Amino acid sequence: SCTITADRTEVCDGETAQFCGPAAPAGTTYDYAWSGPDGVLPNTRCIDVSVTGTYRLTVTDQATGCQSGTCTEDLVVHPLPPCAITGPTVICEDAVAELCGPEGAYTYAWTGPAGPYPTTRCITVDVAGTYSLTVTDPATGCSRPACTHDLDVVSKPVVVITGPGSICPGGTEMLCGPEGSFTYAWTGPGEPFPAERCIFRMRQCENT
């Protein structure tokens, strides 16, 4: 007779299952002829399979040449869920970033520098470091290897305005912000002002 035993009939993409034909009784030798979607398969009693489809086996008794009927077993290979983290890579200190995994009927397991985190699709974080996410499809139990996302937290620029403390009536003063690769937005009497590091304006004599 021909029967196929399987350690499992459903696997996740990248995994294998083992299908085995019947063992020959003592003093008897069997030949095994496998066919299936995996292409050319070894003529061994047990084979490792990893492609969805139907596998067929015919067993021949070497001593008599008698063949069994063909027996079959099906394998289902489930796809892995997607894994990608969306969110900013840089935030300012005192700000927060929202990091999100893919949408779907999945479970989410986050790790990072300030865990533990909720098992939700999106989390809110404010600490620099590498965040990892493992996404699992509860319907199949399949998980994709963890994906990662790096977050950098940068310090706010120190704002200091330099300029004269007083000027004479009708005089012009120059006020300057800090040097650096910054953008500048000035407000005050006489605005609007150019978006430059230094601005000039005329004013009455007074202390500032």
Side-chain angles (χ1 to χ4, degrees):
S1 64
C2 179
T3 56
I4 297 174
T5 57
D7 62 349
R8 48 186 175 166
T9 57
E10 295 186 31
V11 297
C12 300
D13 189 20
E15 298 177 339
T16 61
Q18 188 177 72
F19 286 3
C20 291
T28 304
T29 302
Y30 287 165
D31 289 332
Y32 303 89
W34 293 91
S35 63
D38 255 350
V40 178
L41 298 168
N43 58 356
T44 53
R45 175 176 167 250
C46 296
I47 60 172
D48 292 328
V49 294
S50 60
V51 177
T52 293
T54 299
Y55 293 80
R56 296 173 172 82
L57 171 63
T58 301
V59 180
T60 302
D61 187 325
Q62 284 187 356
T64 64
C66 294
Q67 288 187 342
S68 69
T70 299
C71 51
T72 64
E73 184 63 80
D74 293 328
L75 179 70
V76 176
V77 180
H78 297 291
L80 302 182
C83 189
I85 300 173
T86 58
T89 57
V90 179
I91 60 172
C92 297
E93 60 180 337
D94 299 330
V96 296
E98 183 180 63
L99 304 182
C100 292
E103 294 185 13
Y106 306 126
T107 61
Y108 306 89
W110 294 90
T111 60
Y117 301 100
T119 56
T120 52
R121 183 175 80 89
C122 297
I123 60 172
T124 300
V125 298
D126 59 2
V127 178
T130 298
Y131 294 83
S132 298
L133 172 64
T134 300
V135 180
T136 301
D137 185 341
T140 63
C142 295
S143 299
R144 183 174 293 275
C147 49
T148 62
H149 185 91
D150 292 329
L151 180 68
D152 190 19
V153 178
V154 297
S155 300
K156 295 179 181 179
V158 177
V159 179
V160 177
I161 299 175
T162 58
S166 63
I167 59 174
C168 295
T172 301
E173 66 177 347
M174 182 174 69
L175 303 179
C176 291
E179 293 187 20
S181 300
F182 306 128
T183 60
Y184 303 89
W186 292 90
T187 61
E191 61 181 315
F193 301 107
E196 299 174 355
R197 176 177 166 249
C198 296
I199 62 172
F200 296 87
R201 66 175 185 163
M202 294 181 61
R203 56 180 296 180
Q204 300 298 317
C205 187
E206 61 183 44
N207 291 328
T208 61

